[in-house]
Every structure is written in structure tokens, then in C-alpha cells.
Amino acid sequence: MSELKDLKKELGEDKVITDPDIRRIYARDPASFEFQLPLAVVYAESADDVVDVVRYAIKNKLYITPVFHSTSLSGNAATVMKNTIVLSSERMNKILEVSDVDWLAVVQPGIKIDEFNLELMRYGLQWPVDPASSKTASVGGSIVNGGGGMRGAKYGPASHWVLGLEAVIGTGEKIRVGCRTVKCREGYDILHLFVGSEGTLGVVTEATVRLAPLPEAFVGVVAQYDDIVDLANTVVEARRRRLWLMVAEFMDDDGSDLVGLGRKYTLWMGADITAGSEQRVLARLKEVAEANRGKVVAEAAEWRDFFKLLEPRRLLYPAPVKRAVESYGGNAVILMGDIAVPTSRLPEAMREVKAAIQRYGIPTITGGHVGDGNIHPTLWFDRSNEEQKRKAVELFEYFGKIAIKYDGTISAEHGIGMHKKAMLREAYDAKNSPQLINLFKEIKKIFDPYGIFNPNKIFDI
Amino acid sequence: MSELKDLKKELGEDKVITDPDIRRIYARDPASFEFQLPLAVVYAESADDVVDVVRYAIKNKLYITPVFHSTSLSGNAATVMKNTIVLSSERMNKILEVSDVDWLAVVQPGIKIDEFNLELMRYGLQWPVDPASSKTASVGGSIVNGGGGMRGAKYGPASHWVLGLEAVIGTGEKIRVGCRTVKCREGYDILHLFVGSEGTLGVVTEATVRLAPLPEAFVGVVAQYDDIVDLANTVVEARRRRLWLMVAEFMDDDGSDLVGLGRKYTLWMGADITAGSEQRVLARLKEVAEANRGKVVAEAAEWRDFFKLLEPRRLLYPAPVKRAVESYGGNAVILMGDIAVPTSRLPEAMREVKAAIQRYGIPTITGGHVGDGNIHPTLWFDRSNEEQKRKAVELFEYFGKIAIKYDGTISAEHGIGMHKKAMLREAYDAKNSPQLINLFKEIKKIFDPYGIFNPNKIFDI
């Protein structure tokens, strides 16, 4: 291949980077601790660029790892095979269209979520997929990885907020799936097959996304607890009272302490409402917190104010990164669990997560989107310390066992990537459906007949 | 096969019906005008029964058409091949579980939607998939056919309200996909592949569905117009004002006349809100209707009252049936179009639909879920009148061309079935993605390697 000279000629020198330092950066995502150096990082600027790269990979028997901003947390974006090109869509970051009547936007996939939502605010609209990493994470990445985030308790995950995609599949062909309408029944739902496919079926080059109006009114509270079970019971009780929360987030005592909220269990609850209901709904929120021994420490009567109160919650990942690097320097690795259980099982499951953390003695803080049962225990370790590493990985996998025990999922919104392939097999065994993994492999072959895209993710090749 | 004796022995005589009169009833769905007599109608009472039937079909090289209550409208449930067993799940109609905390229910797929929602009302919950045929249509059928209905403007289609499925695939194996949590990222999204698969991938034997609280408060209006464009502009303007309607339904002048509302264009608009906002939101609804020359003829300050006001709208299908049978007796056929366009294109698209109806002179009334752009022109003809039949089918297909012209979809919620296979090819041609149909065939082979399930639907075999 002589340093990808043909590809450089085809695409232009500035799009094909072979500098080892750049390649090293792109070899891994935040959670990967084993990776290969890619041959090159290619910055696509159009779907046609992607087609060129795919054709080149077919011809030269190379792999492609498609990435956006590589904020994924299960090793989804790591390069794990030799002879891989990292295909970055981060330069494809334009908003192509916003419709304030159709409540949809057409975007290039590399646009960052916060940047996108900032533009949408001008129209009074939102894209309610809101991972804690929204400053950096892209719209395309959160679709491809099936993201969720902080508004999911009411609005659901990315799969509810994408209408159509353009993608390049493994034959080098462009396809368009989905519609510009929410209802769209045009044969099998290939659109949702791409949502959460972790770059294994093709490269998304454009997305048509569904938007929602920003809340007309909003109220929220922050409450603190001495006991994790009381916090969990507050969520259970809110659901039983049919309080349809837009946001219900939590952080455990160690997490709250680390981000400066004091050593208490912290719960954020917010509801999007129609104007005129503010005082009544605020009273209901306080009531359900206090009925479960929570102490209301802050309240907000506007989405904007509540958004600010949520800031410390967004540190669930960055705070451990800082602490881990202080402790272990360049050997620091962070692993973020991503289980979800039905809300009714939260009290038991959260108690068991907390007990496991104490038993293992690996530094871990826990938080998450408790409104949809999604818990993110976040642990860190020194990769050069074999014993600590072994225990950390075991604890991480133990969280998956807790999820299965309480009828939950081992992967709520981060995907399988490299880290959860064994867990995924366990999850399907628990459902008496081990053959699903084989069906996945067959599906991949249809879209990716040469086995180019993001190999060894989700399942072993 | 000697009249399916083995199968009768295996399942019991009462489950395997070979009476020709019964077979004739089950051969067709309301919209089918060409069909074959099935060998038998089998009433499954459990997933194990379904497994037995599938194994029997494999062994004896038979086809299976899975049906629930056969209310589908694109020929989805019709028997179109010889050597077919109709597999009815209507006896599998139990609610297995309702959780007022997890806001989910586990049901057998044959339960009727209204029956299900009546039970859910005891918990203050709803399953917001609400086809006009909800009295008869089943939960399973509306999942398998990707139904939508009258609450879709806010709540979206069935795909947003199903969490998990148990199904028997074409190998005779049972699989479980999805989770008991809304967030669920366990590899490829097989769950949504089954949604809208029209019985071509397997037989759904159990569904775990997501529920929503019933609206805490609700207001709605009914307005009438002299001009279809004014009505459409009302919807456009409501969206521009960010009025997130739960219900926005319409009926054209001929439709309104037929169901006793007078020869006017009728629009129903309703919003689910939080208590305390009633008067303000009601005023906004009236204002937007009146600003577009609508006359408000009724209003409701409760969901229950609005639900009653919607009754005539639910006659969009039954009223033509009655009229068609009066005109053409047993030769009457009804075809219901099912296009959707982005809301902003409604004024042009609705005007063009109306003009086409006048040009063709085939009896047609039009109504639909205008809040999500979904238009259902409903026409009827005499199948023994070749000239009328030809024109009727041409008009039906012309609606699809209007959808494509205005960036819409040829199939919003009724699926492809028998009637829209050519339209589907046109739709994918328009997206420069004709290869999708071939990908569909490959996907079918994975789940249905012997080609048993509902052959010749969606695409030609």
C-alpha cells in the first residue's frame, strides 16, 4: 500500500493522516485498554469520501473503524485489529436544515449535540438525546451507539428521535432509509438496525432527526438522602403517583462528595409541564422526596435554572478521570458500567451495586439516569497493576450480573463494544435466546459482506 | 397430509379447523380482493402450539399466514398462496402483567387494544397506540404491522411503545428480544425488525409493552372549515406555535357529510397538559383554528369528553364499508390509502389528494391523523366492474405518487402487504436505494430460512 498513497491521491493529503501521534490518539476511546495502531486516520468530508474509503478498504483488504468524537465508553471506537483505517466524520458537522413546522432537522453526523441544541433553541426546539458528554459527543455517534441520556425518562432514547439516515454500506453503496415523517412503514426497519449498530454495519453520512418543542414550563428539585434505598423509593413512588418526570438523575454519596455536593445521595427530579401548573407540580415533587426522607436542597422554576443545577451530575465521568489521573497518571483506566433495571427493582439493585463496590474495594462512584432505571457505576484502576485490573474487570462484569438478576439489561445506552461481549452472551442465555448472536453475525454479513466495518465489536468475528 | 390429521392429533381437534366456511372467512383481510383458500385455520393457545405448527409447516412444505384479528388494510393478512395454514393468535388474549411502577405490561398478542386500555385505566395508564379500529385490532397485530393511530401526533407509533417480544422464528425456535426497560442496547435491534414485519419473519407470541400515564388534564376543540387548505394551515400554524398536540385528526367534506357532521372539513385538535393550564391552552387552540378561518363547533375540557367527540372520526372506515355494501353488495371492495407527508407539505398534498379524487370520480372520503401528516383517502368500488376497479387501483397508487412528490411516505402505518409492493419499489427508487428490497429478502432468509411465513407480502418471492 506504500503508506496509502493511492488514497491520499484520491482524497487529498489533508484528509489522510499517517502521523503516528495522531494515529495513536485515534486508536482508542476513553475506555479501551488494549488497542492497535491504525494505518491512518481519514477525515471524510462527504459521503463520496466515505464511498472512496470503503472501496479502497475492499480492494486492499483493510478494516474501517468509523468514529465521530470517540466519546463512547465500551471500547466501541477502539482500533483492535491490524490493518485498520480510522474513518472520522468529525469534519462532517454541518446543520443542513431545520424545520420549525416539521420539527425535524437534517444534519451531518459529526455535529456536536450541544452545538446542535444551541442552534435549535433559536426555534424553541430541542433534540432530547442528552448524554452527559453532550458537549463533545456527536449526533451521529449517539445514534450509531444508541445513546440516551438525561431526558430519557420521558423522551426515551435516540431510537425515538431519528427519522432517517444516509449510510454507506460495505459494498460501497449509499443507501437512504427512513422518512421525513415519524410514521414510516416501508418494509423492514433498517433505520433502527443502524441505531446502536456501533459502526459495524456501515458509515452514517447524514441524519434526519425528530425534534420536540422545548418545555413550555419546567419545575425541578434537588433532594439529598442518607440512604440509597430512600432515594430509589422516591423514584418508585413518583412513578406510582404517575409523575411523568423528564429528568430523574442521581449520584451516590461518594460521587456527590467528589463533585462538591457533600457526602449524601443526591437526586435531581424535573418535570416539563404546561404553564400554570408550576406551583402544584413543584409541591408534588417536594412531597414525594420528603415522604421518603429526602431533604430538598434546591429547586428550579425554569428549565434553564434546572439545567445549571444538573452541572455537577455531568461530572460523573470527568471527575473520576481527574481523580484517576492524579492517582495513576498515564496508566489510569476508567470503566463505566451501564446497566438498567425496571424502576420497581431499583431499591434492591442499587443496594446490591453499592454493596459490591464496598466488597471489591475498587475506587468507584455511581450515578445515572434513575428515571429510566439506568445506573452507571464508574470505576477506575491502574492498568499496570494486574491484580487491581483483574478485580476491576470482575466488578464491572458483576454489575452486569446484577442487571440480569433484576430483570434488567447489561447495556442501556453505551453498547457492547469490546467490554461486554461475554456479558451479552450471558444476557441472551438468560433469555433462552443464545442463537441471537448468530443471527447478528448473519445480519452483519448482509450489510458488510467483506467484513470491513469495526470488526470484533459486539461479537467476536 | 390427509386433512392435517397429524396436526390435529398434536394440537387437538378444536384448534385445527378445516371447515371451508371458516377457511373462507380467514382467507382475506378487509382490503384483499384476490386470495386462496387456506388448508386450515389453526388457533394457537400458546407459544408451544406455534412451535408445533411451524415444525409441521417445515416438514410438510406449507406456508403460514400469521393473523390476529385481520383488521389490516393492505392485504397483509390475506392468504395468497396455496398450501397455506392461517395461524390465528386471537385465543392468546390474556394480560399477563401490569406494573404501575415500571409502566409496562406483558400481554399475549391477541388482546384487543380497547380491552387492554380499559384494564389499564384502572391504573391511570394507557397504551397510546390507538388505530381507529381499536375496538377490534389487537396489540400484537398493531405491533407486527407497525400501527400508529390517533395519539401518534405526540406519542409516536407502535415502535415507541414496545419493549420486548417473544416470537417463534422459521427454524421453529423461540426467541426473546428487547428488555423490560426502555433503554436496551443489546446488539442489533431485532425487536424493531419485527415491528412492521407483517408476519414475514415469525410469529409473535408475547409482547412487553411500554405504557404512559393517562393525561393529567386535557383540552380539545373541533373546528370546521370550508376549505381544506385552511384546515391544513391550522395544523401548520399550530406546529409553528409549538403547540404539541396529542391528537390532531381530520375528515374532509364528503367524509364529514357521510358521518353526519355536515358538508364541511372537520378538524379535531386536543392537547394533554398538566392541570392548571386548561383555559390558556384551550384559548390557544381556538385562536389557531379561528386565525385560519375555522369555526369552533365543539370543545372539551376532559379527555373522556374529547374521546366521545372523536367517535365520528372513527367511522372513516366503517362508514364507507356500509355505503359500499349498499351500493355493490358482496362485490364491494374498500381501499384505504395511507400516506404521510411532512406537516409543512400538508396544504399542497391535501389539495392534490382532493383534486385527484375529483378527477378520477371514484367514491372516496378522506380523513386521517393530520397531526403527523398521515392522510387516509378511503375509496370503494365494485370488484366485478373491471373499468372501475382499474381506475380505483390507479387512484390508490396515485396517492403514493403524491406522497413521494411531497417528501412523504407511501406507507405510514398500514404497511405494504399485497397492495403497495410496486409503490415500495418506487419509493426506494426515489431515494436512490432500490437495493433495499434485496436486503429485505436477505434478512427474511435469516429468520425464515424455509420461506414459510406470509410469502409474497412486502416484496415478491
Side-chain angles (χ1 to χ4, degrees):
Chain A
M1 281 164 292
S2 60
E3 287 191 323
L4 307 167
K5 274 204 179 114
D6 295 352
L7 193 62
K8 282 182 179 173
K9 203 170 155 191
E10 179 92 25
L11 295 178
E13 294 272 341
D14 61 318
K15 294 184 193 167
V16 182
I17 308 302
T18 45
D19 173 341
D21 288 340
I22 304 292
R23 285 154 58 202
R24 203 163 290 121
I25 291 168
Y26 279 83
R28 52 183 299 202
D29 70 7
S32 45
F33 42 100
E34 281 160 22
F35 51 89
Q36 298 281 338
L37 209 57
L39 297 173
V41 179
V42 178
Y43 297 92
E45 294 182 8
S46 67
D48 288 338
D49 284 352
V50 174
V51 168
D52 285 343
V53 178
V54 170
R55 286 186 182 154
Y56 186 84
I58 294 171
K59 197 174 149 197
N60 295 288
K61 299 194 194 314
L62 305 179
Y63 297 115
I64 293 173
T65 299
V67 304
F68 298 94
H69 297 285
S70 299
T71 58
S72 48
L73 290 165
S74 301
N76 326 41
T79 301
V80 297
M81 305 286 281
K82 288 183 179 168
N83 297 321
T84 298
I85 292 173
V86 170
L87 179 56
S88 168
S89 303
E90 64 198 284
R91 289 186 191 166
M92 294 176 70
N93 61 1
K94 286 186 196 63
I95 299 172
L96 304 174
E97 180 192 348
V98 176
S99 167
D100 68 337
V101 171
D102 300 328
W103 296 352
L104 67 75
V106 182
V107 300
Q108 291 185 321
I111 177 111
K112 290 176 183 173
I113 296 174
D114 275 5
E115 215 175 299
F116 181 41
N117 267 323
L118 202 65
E119 173 65 16
L120 293 177
M121 276 179 73
R122 291 181 43 209
Y123 301 87
L125 297 171
Q126 61 172 326
W127 192 55
V129 181
D130 186 14
S133 58
S134 58
K135 277 194 185 69
T136 324
S138 67
V139 170
S142 59
I143 291 170
V144 165
N145 282 311
M150 295 209 178
R151 308 178 203 185
K154 182 154 194 183
Y155 289 120
S159 69
H160 294 192
W161 297 97
V162 53
L163 299 172
L165 292 175
E166 180 192 73
V168 178
I169 57 175
T171 54
E173 295 166 294
K174 266 189 282 189
I175 59 171
R176 294 194 78 94
V177 293
C179 300
R180 284 172 68 94
T181 50
V182 177
K183 287 177 178 168
C184 175
R185 283 278 302 100
E186 301 187 343
Y188 299 145
D189 191 345
I190 305 302
L191 173 67
H192 285 97
L193 211 49
F194 271 81
V195 175
S197 61
E198 306 186 19
T200 62
L201 299 179
V203 182
V204 169
T205 51
E206 191 184 289
T208 303
V209 298
R210 176 187 178 210
L211 307 174
L214 279 169
E216 182 183 279
F218 189 94
V219 292
V221 299
V222 184
Q224 289 197 312
Y225 300 78
D226 289 319
D227 188 321
I228 197 164
V229 174
D230 288 333
L231 183 150
N233 278 331
T234 305
V235 179
V236 169
E237 188 57 28
R239 301 271 292 192
R240 191 171 282 126
R241 295 182 189 189
R242 297 192 298 281
L243 263 164
W244 202 358
L245 301 173
M246 171 171 144
V247 180
E249 297 289 322
F250 90 107
M251 236 176 179
D252 75 346
D253 52 350
D254 294 323
S256 298
D257 191 39
L258 189 63
V259 302
L261 296 170
R263 185 167 292 282
K264 296 276 184 183
Y265 296 90
T266 309
L267 176 67
W268 291 258
M269 287 192 291
D272 57 331
I273 56 177
T274 39
S277 321
E278 289 85 346
Q279 289 315 309
R280 196 181 46 78
V281 178
L282 197 55
R284 286 187 74 193
L285 293 176
K286 284 190 213 172
E287 196 182 281
V288 69
E290 285 163 0
N292 290 282
R293 285 179 286 276
K295 189 180 167 213
V296 175
V297 295
E299 53 182 82
E302 272 193 59
W303 169 235
R304 193 176 301 238
D305 296 336
F306 191 75
F307 198 81
K308 277 180 208 145
L309 291 175
L310 273 172
E311 278 303 319
R313 164 59 189 83
R314 290 189 190 265
L315 300 176
L316 179 65
Y317 186 75
V321 170
K322 186 163 176 284
R323 176 60 54 96
V325 171
E326 283 163 16
S327 304
Y328 309 130
N331 284 322
V333 176
I334 321 284
L335 280 181
M336 188 184 263
D338 172 39
I339 64 174
V341 296
T343 332
S344 62
R345 315 302 296 272
L346 275 171
E348 302 155 281
M350 285 171 81
R351 187 166 47 198
E352 200 157 327
V353 164
K354 196 71 193 165
I357 292 166
Q358 278 153 359
R359 205 163 60 241
Y360 275 84
I362 300 289
T364 309
I365 66 171
T366 304
H369 318 293
V370 81
D372 50 25
N374 190 184
I375 311 170
H376 291 310
T378 307
L379 57 86
W380 56 99
F381 63 93
D382 178 346
R383 104 180 76 176
S384 68
N385 178 337
E386 282 302 324
E387 171 63 7
Q388 205 196 18
K389 178 175 161 184
R390 190 192 55 75
K391 278 174 71 178
V393 170
E394 196 180 305
L395 174 58
F396 179 74
E397 286 174 352
Y398 189 78
F399 298 136
K401 291 184 203 301
I402 295 174
I404 292 170
K405 176 173 172 188
Y406 293 106
D407 294 330
T409 177
I410 57 145
S411 167
E413 55 178 16
H414 293 173
I416 307 304
M418 290 300 287
H419 298 339
K420 294 191 207 150
K421 292 191 280 188
M423 266 191 223
L424 187 67
R425 288 192 298 269
E426 257 181 78
Y428 282 115
D429 283 346
K431 295 179 196 192
N432 286 318
S433 300
Q435 68 273 62
L436 261 297
I437 313 270
N438 290 328
L439 298 178
F440 291 168
K441 291 181 184 177
E442 295 298 313
I443 288 172
K444 180 167 165 67
K445 272 185 209 154
I446 293 176
F447 292 89
D448 182 21
Y450 305 104
I452 293 170
F453 295 123
N454 216 11
N456 253 333
K457 310 295 169 67
I458 306 179
F459 43 78
D460 297 324
I461 55 169
Chain B
M1 285 164 292
S2 61
E3 288 191 324
L4 306 169
K5 275 206 180 113
D6 294 352
L7 194 61
K8 282 182 178 172
K9 203 170 156 192
E10 179 92 24
L11 295 178
E13 294 272 340
D14 61 317
K15 293 185 192 167
V16 182
I17 307 301
T18 46
D19 174 340
D21 289 340
I22 303 292
R23 284 153 60 202
R24 203 162 292 120
I25 291 168
Y26 279 83
R28 52 184 300 202
D29 70 7
S32 45
F33 43 100
E34 282 160 22
F35 51 89
Q36 297 281 340
L37 209 58
L39 297 173
V41 179
V42 177
Y43 296 94
E45 294 181 8
S46 68
D48 289 338
D49 284 352
V50 174
V51 168
D52 285 342
V53 178
V54 170
R55 286 186 183 155
Y56 186 84
I58 295 171
K59 196 173 149 196
N60 295 288
K61 299 193 193 313
L62 305 179
Y63 297 115
I64 293 173
T65 299
V67 304
F68 298 94
H69 297 284
S70 298
T71 59
S72 49
L73 291 165
S74 301
N76 326 41
T79 301
V80 297
M81 305 286 280
K82 288 182 179 168
N83 297 321
T84 298
I85 292 172
V86 170
L87 178 56
S88 168
S89 304
E90 63 198 284
R91 289 186 191 166
M92 293 175 70
N93 60 2
K94 287 186 196 62
I95 299 172
L96 304 174
E97 181 191 347
V98 177
S99 167
D100 68 338
V101 171
D102 299 329
W103 296 352
L104 67 74
V106 181
V107 299
Q108 290 186 320
I111 177 109
K112 290 176 182 171
I113 296 174
D114 274 5
E115 216 176 298
F116 181 41
N117 267 322
L118 201 66
E119 173 66 14
L120 293 176
M121 276 179 72
R122 291 181 43 210
Y123 300 87
L125 297 171
Q126 61 173 325
W127 193 56
V129 180
D130 186 14
S133 58
S134 58
K135 276 194 185 70
T136 323
S138 66
V139 170
S142 59
I143 292 169
V144 165
N145 282 310
M150 295 208 178
R151 309 179 202 183
K154 183 154 195 183
Y155 289 120
S159 69
H160 294 193
W161 297 97
V162 54
L163 299 172
L165 291 175
E166 179 191 74
V168 178
I169 58 175
T171 53
E173 294 167 293
K174 266 188 282 188
I175 59 171
R176 294 195 79 94
V177 293
C179 300
R180 285 173 67 95
T181 50
V182 176
K183 288 178 177 167
C184 174
R185 283 279 303 98
E186 301 186 344
Y188 299 146
D189 191 346
I190 306 302
L191 173 68
H192 285 98
L193 212 48
F194 271 81
V195 176
S197 61
E198 306 186 19
T200 62
L201 299 179
V203 181
V204 168
T205 51
E206 191 184 290
T208 304
V209 299
R210 179 188 178 210
L211 307 174
L214 278 169
E216 182 184 279
F218 190 94
V219 293
V221 300
V222 184
Q224 290 196 311
Y225 300 78
D226 289 319
D227 188 322
I228 197 164
V229 174
D230 287 334
L231 182 150
N233 279 331
T234 305
V235 179
V236 169
E237 188 57 29
R239 301 271 293 191
R240 191 172 281 127
R241 295 182 189 189
R242 297 193 298 281
L243 263 164
W244 201 358
L245 301 172
M246 172 171 144
V247 180
E249 297 289 322
F250 90 106
M251 236 175 179
D252 75 346
D253 52 349
D254 295 323
S256 297
D257 191 39
L258 189 63
V259 302
L261 296 171
R263 186 168 291 282
K264 296 276 184 183
Y265 295 90
T266 309
L267 176 67
W268 291 257
M269 287 192 291
D272 57 330
I273 55 178
T274 39
S277 320
E278 289 85 347
Q279 289 315 309
R280 196 181 46 77
V281 178
L282 197 56
R284 286 187 74 193
L285 293 176
K286 286 191 213 173
E287 196 182 280
V288 70
E290 285 162 1
N292 290 281
R293 285 179 285 278
K295 189 181 168 213
V296 175
V297 294
E299 52 183 81
E302 271 193 60
W303 170 234
R304 193 177 302 237
D305 296 337
F306 192 76
F307 199 81
K308 279 181 207 145
L309 291 174
L310 273 172
E311 278 302 319
R313 165 60 189 86
R314 291 191 190 262
L315 300 176
L316 179 64
Y317 186 75
V321 169
K322 188 163 175 284
R323 176 59 55 95
V325 171
E326 282 163 14
S327 305
Y328 310 130
N331 284 323
V333 175
I334 320 284
L335 280 180
M336 188 184 262
D338 172 40
I339 64 175
V341 296
T343 331
S344 63
R345 313 304 295 273
L346 275 172
E348 302 156 281
M350 285 171 80
R351 188 166 45 197
E352 202 157 326
V353 164
K354 196 71 193 165
I357 292 166
Q358 278 153 359
R359 205 163 60 242
Y360 276 84
I362 298 290
T364 309
I365 66 171
T366 303
H369 319 291
V370 81
D372 50 26
N374 190 183
I375 311 171
H376 291 311
T378 306
L379 57 87
W380 56 98
F381 64 92
D382 178 345
R383 104 180 74 179
S384 68
N385 179 336
E386 280 302 323
E387 171 64 8
Q388 205 196 20
K389 178 174 160 184
R390 188 192 58 74
K391 279 173 71 178
V393 170
E394 195 180 304
L395 175 58
F396 178 74
E397 285 173 355
Y398 190 77
F399 298 137
K401 290 184 204 301
I402 295 173
I404 292 171
K405 177 173 172 188
Y406 293 106
D407 294 329
T409 177
I410 58 147
S411 167
E413 54 178 17
H414 294 172
I416 307 304
M418 289 301 287
H419 297 339
K420 294 191 209 150
K421 291 191 283 187
M423 267 191 223
L424 187 69
R425 288 193 298 270
E426 258 183 78
Y428 282 116
D429 282 346
K431 295 179 196 191
N432 286 318
S433 300
Q435 68 274 62
L436 261 297
I437 313 270
N438 290 327
L439 298 178
F440 291 168
K441 291 181 184 177
E442 295 298 313
I443 288 172
K444 180 167 166 67
K445 273 185 209 155
I446 293 175
F447 292 90
D448 183 20
Y450 305 104
I452 293 170
F453 294 123
N454 215 10
N456 252 333
K457 308 297 169 67
I458 307 179
F459 43 78
D460 297 323
I461 55 169

